Amino acid sequence: EAGVAQSPRYKIIEKRQSVAFWCNPISGHATLYWYQQILGQGPKLLIQFQNNGVVDDSQLPKDRFSAERLKGVDSTLKIQPAKLEDSAVYLCASSTGIVGTQYFGPGTRLLVL
Amino acid sequence: GQQLNQSPQSMFIQEGEDVSMNCTSSSIFNTWLWYKQDPGEGPVLLIALYKAGELTSNGRLTAQFGITRKDSFLNISASIPSDVGIYFCAGRSDSGGGADGLTFGKGTHLIIQP
């Protein structure tokens, strides 16, 4: 079974530019999560989708971050405009909905200069 | 928001030694999980705990869900070189509406000296 796919794996941009990340969850997984992991920290939840609806976006900085999952499968996370403090690894995870069984992708490493 | 205090921050041990790390929280969690993260990869689930007092093993790994529901520990017996990595505890609480995002600790960096 294929795991969670993410692209790109690495991205370097200048502050105030825009960037987008893509995630393809495990086939059949209805729930999708985006986490932000700053160097030396644990992942922090940004947003949770159930199919194509948002379940929790309470920790998403909505002034610059947006995410969508239009057809209930793939998802994109966008930052516009980026700030230096957005430098982090952005992890996508998916689950069948059973508590705790979240499977993580390899992440996208973002560096904002 | 909820915070998890994970300790120790790092451990330098000899191959074959046992390892113990723990996590405490200021609030109650309904589920405790332990993940391992290797460089350049996402976290991988090691053990999930669903009931207060539960003790669960996965090979050389043993984890327990504290009775107060505010803490958990992970033990690794007879460490081997492939155990090197960062171990994260994570908690989940029922916030309603189907939201089940995880709250993670800051991680324990395990380094094994041959």
Side-chain angles (χ1 to χ4, degrees), chain B residues 13-31:
Chain B
I13 63 168
Q14 300 284 335
E15 184 178 347
E17 288 185 8
D18 296 343
V19 172
S20 183
M21 59 191 79
N22 67 81
C23 215
T24 60
S25 169
S26 57
S27 52
I28 289 171
F29 285 104
N30 295 323
T31 305

Side-chain angles (χ1 to χ4, degrees), chain B residues 3-113:
Chain B
Q3 288 188 332
L4 296 185
N5 298 309
Q6 187 172 347
S7 65
Q9 190 173 10
S10 59
M11 299 184 73
F12 294 81
I13 63 168
Q14 300 284 335
E15 184 178 347
E17 288 185 8
D18 296 343
V19 172
S20 183
M21 59 191 79
N22 67 81
C23 215
T24 60
S25 169
S26 57
S27 52
I28 289 171
F29 285 104
N30 295 323
T31 305
W32 281 94
L33 305 117
W34 286 91
Y35 284 84
K36 179 175 184 271
Q37 187 173 28
D38 291 328
E41 301 296 328
V44 174
L45 181 65
L46 299 173
I47 293 180
L49 303 155
Y50 301 103
K51 281 200 252 186
E54 180 181 352
L55 183 71
T56 297
S57 293
N58 178 8
R60 294 178 295 104
L61 278 61
T62 302
Q64 184 158 28
F65 191 145
I67 291 178
T68 65
R69 294 164 65 192
K70 292 184 177 182
D71 63 313
S72 177
F73 73 75
L74 174 71
N75 287 340
I76 305 172
S77 63
S79 58
I80 59 177
S82 60
D83 291 334
V84 166
I86 304 177
Y87 292 80
F88 290 98
C89 62
R92 174 199 170 271
S93 56
D94 288 326
S95 55
D100 66 349
L102 302 177
T103 299
F104 282 83
K106 291 187 176 182
T108 294
H109 193 175
L110 180 61
I111 299 165
I112 299 176
Q113 301 164 331

Side-chain angles (χ1 to χ4, degrees), chain A:
Chain A
E1 178 182 80
V4 176
Q6 290 188 247
S7 68
R9 291 296 307 272
Y10 305 91
K11 190 75 178 179
I12 301 174
I13 62 172
E14 295 188 347
K15 61 183 179 183
R16 290 189 289 273
Q17 285 186 324
S18 302
V19 65
F21 314 126
W22 174 83
C23 173
N24 180 238
I26 293 173
S27 177
H29 281 195
T31 311
L32 185 147
Y33 313 79
W34 283 101
Y35 288 83
Q36 179 193 56
Q37 185 176 22
I38 292 173
L39 186 64
Q41 305 284 324
K44 173 190 159 188
L45 179 71
L46 293 176
I47 189 167
Q48 176 187 348
F49 291 95
Q50 179 73 18
N51 296 309
N52 61 349
V54 175
V55 175
D56 182 4
D57 63 357
S58 57
Q59 300 188 87
L60 186 73
K62 298 180 186 64
D63 57 334
R64 297 183 301 105
F65 286 65
S66 64
E68 60 184 14
R69 195 184 183 200
L70 292 176
K71 296 183 179 178
V73 180
D74 295 3
S75 176
T76 56
L77 176 70
K78 296 179 182 177
I79 308 175
Q80 180 180 8
K83 292 185 175 181
L84 296 177
E85 59 261 35
D86 298 332
S87 294
V89 176
Y90 291 85
L91 294 163
C92 179
S94 70
S95 78
T96 59
I98 298 172
V99 169
T101 53
Q102 293 183 25
Y103 297 91
F104 285 82
T108 295
R109 279 143 190 83
L110 174 67
L111 178 60
V112 182
L113 302 175

